[in-house]
Amino acid sequence: MAKVDPFTREIIAQGLIAASEEMFLTWGRTSQSTIIYEVLDYAAGLTDSKGNLIGQANGVTGFLGAITYSVTATLDKFGLENLKPGDIILTNDPFTGSGTHLCDVSAVLPVFYEGEIVAFAANKGHWNEIGGKNLGSWSTNATEIYQEGLQFPVIKIYEEGKLNEAVRDMIAANCRTPDMTLGDLYAQTASLRIAEKRVLELLDKYGKEAVLESIENLLENGRKLALKELARMPKGSFEADGYIDANANNLGNVPIKVKVTITDEEFIIDLTGSGEQVAAPINCCKYGAFSAGRIIYHAILNPDAEPNEGFYSPLKVIAPEGSVFAAVRPAPVSTNWEATSHITDLVAKALAPVVPERITAGHFLSIIGTILAGIDDVTKQPYVLCEPQAGGWGAGCNKDGESGLVAIADGETFMIPAEVAEYKYPIIVEQYAFNTKTGAGKFRGGCGLIRDYRLLNSNGELTTIASKYQFPPWGFAGGGDGSPNVVEVHKADGSEPVAGATFSNYPMYKGDLVRFISGCGGGYGDPLERPVDKVWQDIKDEYITVAEAASDYGVVVDPDTLEVNHEKTKELREKMRKTI
């Protein structure tokens, strides 16, 4: 193989990453559904001919493993010999590589050059409707995967460039919003061709041998960086446990545990001892667990590292088959993010005492996935509002927590802007505010959000799920816990609100309001060590009240003048320290 100079290697490597990013942007610009073009609930990337991740654009962090495993599932089924130029493969089967739930559809395109597959372009995103028993497809009360929508068991949607019309017609016949769903399919597959075009341009410009060498070098550099970061980590085994507390299908809390073992060459996440899979959609399959492992491994080791197979090579995730973290067919997985998110939280909690500079306190964690759907009074067509909610993140060793950000498994995604939501759907966004019940600390937790949707349509149904409902985000190093997630439905007749963590096809009518209250992050450090001027500023900014300043931080402020009484503050803090 020809030797390529380091400058050319880097240009080629960055060109491959740019191809992934252009694929990502193309899909977002051409999609028809808000879950793609507003929320950005998708990801895109390239692998080599063996399925090793080369580069991936920012998007849903929960899809960090999806590119790799969607390609390897394609190779397992077809092999290199049964793939042709122009083929595009669809898969959303969680149990054979797609990894999440049926709404998240992966598409894979083999990139041929001189008659040989040199790479794969792959992307994965949330289709707003894919059939199943509920509007919006994913469900919080499913008991088996067959209730959750169409399954694509690694099939060709395009064969040598020709659309498989039978598959297209089957999709259209099984989705409540066929035009939108097919529009997203066409946008998704078109973006793959953009990435293919850019890879071919690199091959034409620099030659196949130079590109292949650059790919190998990119993966090797990723591996070296990972090992360098591992060398700086403490060695040993570290454990944590907890519960998935969404109480899906009234099955109670699911116990979970992890043991993280770090050596000079490996980062092992062992989930042995966690609860068995349940007849509720909070399970994830093993590929979802692998992806969750990548999320937290990447965040802890080096969040600035480019995602590629070399960087992830020291990572090993052990998830016993049949557990809530490695469910097997026909387990439901509609809200699989509850399981995958808790993996990241367990690992962070286990390692926080030994690498406090790399980890923040607990955050609201649950995506609080939301569907508000029904039949529009005016158009007589289905409407499906689907989005995540944002919330509060935990404080760190030198910073307050971030406010109003999406959860760790959602990454570079967003909520639907209020103006877009009101334009696209029969609702009014009546409130969009901070939830200020944060975890106290030397550095306080970030604020959650309060978001109200008033239904203007005669009918609707609410589907949502929120863990961290009973067990709020954890504080660390003396910091207080944050506040839990909760969803409330306020009836138009003024009756007592219905509050809970899980709503399944809950009927709503004109004038009813749903309120999403996302949790606040945990605090970091002793609240009595928070500088008085910061506490005073929090009062001014209305993050805390005068009473909370005294009870949580020992700072005495006159409620009328908002002046700090330094003498009484000193006395109160000394008294509070003695009682701890």
Side-chain angles (χ1 to χ4, degrees):
M1 185 174 287
K3 181 70 175 176
V4 182
D5 69 83
F7 301 102
T8 302
R9 279 203 306 264
E10 186 64 17
I11 290 169
I12 293 172
Q14 292 302 315
L16 293 168
I17 294 170
S20 298
E21 292 175 346
E22 189 172 355
M23 183 190 347
F24 183 88
L25 293 171
T26 298
W27 190 1
R29 286 199 303 265
T30 55
S31 174
Q32 292 196 20
S33 60
T34 52
I35 194 70
I36 298 293
Y37 68 75
E38 290 288 354
V39 177
L40 306 186
D41 191 350
Y42 66 108
L46 295 172
T47 78
D48 66 10
S49 60
K50 299 176 182 178
N52 294 311
L53 183 67
I54 298 170
Q56 186 163 329
N58 287 338
V60 178
T61 50
F63 295 166
L64 272 174
I67 302 304
T68 296
Y69 305 125
S70 296
V71 173
T72 55
T74 297
L75 288 169
D76 289 342
K77 181 167 183 176
F78 293 104
L80 293 173
E81 65 277 5
N82 292 316
L83 295 171
K84 307 295 181 184
D87 286 353
I88 297 180
I89 293 86
L90 285 186
T91 177
N92 67 346
D93 182 358
F95 306 107
T96 59
S98 181
T100 52
H101 64 169
L102 297 182
C103 289
D104 296 334
V105 180
S106 296
V108 177
L109 180 150
V111 179
F112 282 81
Y113 192 75
E114 297 177 352
E116 175 187 358
I117 294 177
V118 294
F120 287 91
N123 53 27
K124 180 181 181 69
H126 187 115
W127 289 11
N128 220 35
E129 239 292 327
I130 196 165
K133 71 184 186 68
N134 295 344
L135 274 165
S137 301
W138 64 263
S139 164
T140 57
N141 64 354
T143 57
E144 58 180 10
I145 195 169
Y146 306 110
Q147 300 168 333
E148 297 177 334
L150 271 173
Q151 299 180 54
F152 304 133
V154 195
I155 58 174
K156 292 185 180 182
I157 183 65
Y158 285 88
E159 295 189 61
E160 297 186 63
K162 183 179 179 181
L163 176 65
N164 187 327
E165 295 182 0
V167 173
R168 179 204 60 193
D169 293 347
M170 185 170 290
I171 293 171
N174 283 276
C175 295
R176 298 173 180 86
T177 57
D179 291 341
M180 179 181 292
T181 298
L182 291 176
D184 284 346
L185 167 65
Y186 299 145
Q188 181 173 9
T189 52
S191 72
L192 292 174
R193 296 189 182 99
I194 288 292
E196 177 189 35
K197 181 179 180 181
R198 296 294 178 254
V199 173
L200 293 176
E201 288 172 352
L202 289 171
L203 288 158
D204 286 338
K205 184 173 183 178
Y206 297 102
K208 182 171 69 173
E209 296 302 316
V211 170
L212 294 179
E213 182 180 327
S214 297
I215 289 173
E216 288 188 9
N217 186 73
L218 182 153
L219 297 176
E220 179 61 17
N221 285 345
R223 187 187 71 85
K224 289 179 179 177
L225 174 60
L227 293 177
K228 180 180 178 181
E229 294 293 346
L230 276 177
R232 300 168 55 193
M233 294 284 287
K235 307 303 183 293
S237 294
F238 314 96
E239 300 185 26
D241 56 29
Y243 295 92
I244 302 175
D245 61 348
N247 194 27
N249 284 346
N250 296 313
L251 294 177
N253 300 331
V254 180
I256 51 177
K257 64 186 301 183
V258 72
K259 180 168 75 173
V260 182
T261 301
I262 301 174
T263 71
D264 285 330
E265 297 182 346
E266 288 186 313
F267 189 107
I268 303 170
I269 299 172
D270 187 352
L271 301 164
T272 301
S274 297
E276 295 182 356
Q277 67 185 54
V278 294
I282 59 171
N283 308 288
C284 71
C285 68
K286 65 179 180 181
Y287 300 104
F290 297 163
S291 295
R294 288 188 174 195
I295 295 171
I296 192 63
Y297 164 91
H298 199 145
I300 292 173
L301 242 64
N302 187 333
D304 296 321
E306 293 287 356
N308 64 59
E309 214 69 32
F311 181 73
Y312 296 131
S313 59
L315 175 64
K316 182 180 181 182
V317 178
I318 301 171
E321 185 174 284
S323 71
V324 70
F325 294 134
V328 296
R329 198 183 305 275
V333 292
S334 276
T335 61
N336 69 98
W337 58 79
E338 294 297 349
T340 56
S341 297
H342 275 80
I343 293 173
T344 67
D345 194 54
L346 280 177
V347 173
K349 195 172 182 180
L351 294 181
V354 293
V355 283
E357 73 283 1
R358 292 177 182 244
I359 292 173
T360 58
H363 78 303
F364 80 109
L365 190 68
S366 177
I367 288 171
I368 318 179
T370 298
I371 291 177
L372 184 57
I375 305 299
D376 192 283
D377 291 339
V378 176
T379 66
K380 309 303 180 184
Q381 297 298 311
Y383 66 90
V384 181
L385 183 158
C386 181
E387 67 176 346
Q389 302 297 326
W393 281 64
C397 64
N398 58 4
K399 64 183 288 295
D400 289 343
E402 302 298 329
S403 299
L405 291 184
V406 295
I408 187 170
D410 253 347
E412 296 288 328
T413 60
F414 302 88
M415 299 169 67
I416 300 174
E419 298 82 359
V420 174
E422 292 178 343
Y423 175 75
K424 295 279 289 186
Y425 307 105
I427 63 168
I428 288 290
V429 182
E430 288 197 355
Q431 179 179 197
Y432 195 8
F434 278 138
N435 171 19
T436 58
K437 303 300 182 183
T438 65
K442 180 179 181 180
F443 298 97
R444 61 168 177 78
C447 295
L449 295 178
I450 303 173
R451 188 164 165 112
D452 291 356
Y453 288 160
R454 176 83 66 181
L455 185 64
L456 303 181
N457 206 54
S458 66
N459 68 89
E461 59 181 48
L462 171 68
T463 294
T464 188
I465 189 167
S467 60
K468 291 292 179 183
Y469 173 68
Q470 300 174 52
F471 303 101
W474 43 276
F476 182 58
D481 290 345
S483 56
N485 300 305
V486 64
V487 180
E488 299 174 350
V489 176
H490 296 252
K491 292 294 187 179
D493 62 10
S495 58
E496 188 71 19
V498 179
T502 302
F503 289 80
S504 303
N505 319 109
Y506 189 86
M508 293 183 63
Y509 303 98
K510 188 171 184 177
D512 290 352
L513 179 144
V514 56
R515 173 169 296 159
F516 302 96
I517 305 173
S518 60
C520 299
Y524 192 109
D526 184 353
L528 300 180
E529 294 181 7
R530 187 167 179 82
V532 172
D533 62 325
K534 284 192 173 184
V535 177
W536 178 82
Q537 189 62 51
D538 285 343
I539 295 173
K540 295 280 285 185
D541 292 337
E542 299 183 359
Y543 288 125
I544 62 174
T545 65
V546 169
E548 288 168 338
S551 63
D552 294 342
Y553 295 97
V555 175
V556 180
V557 177
D558 186 290
D560 297 319
T561 66
L562 294 187
E563 291 183 358
V564 177
N565 188 318
H566 291 280
E567 183 177 345
K568 288 187 176 180
T569 293
K570 183 179 179 181
E571 292 175 358
L572 179 58
R573 284 191 160 184
E574 287 177 353
K575 180 180 178 181
M576 292 173 72
R577 287 191 179 98
K578 289 178 181 179
T579 59
I580 294 176

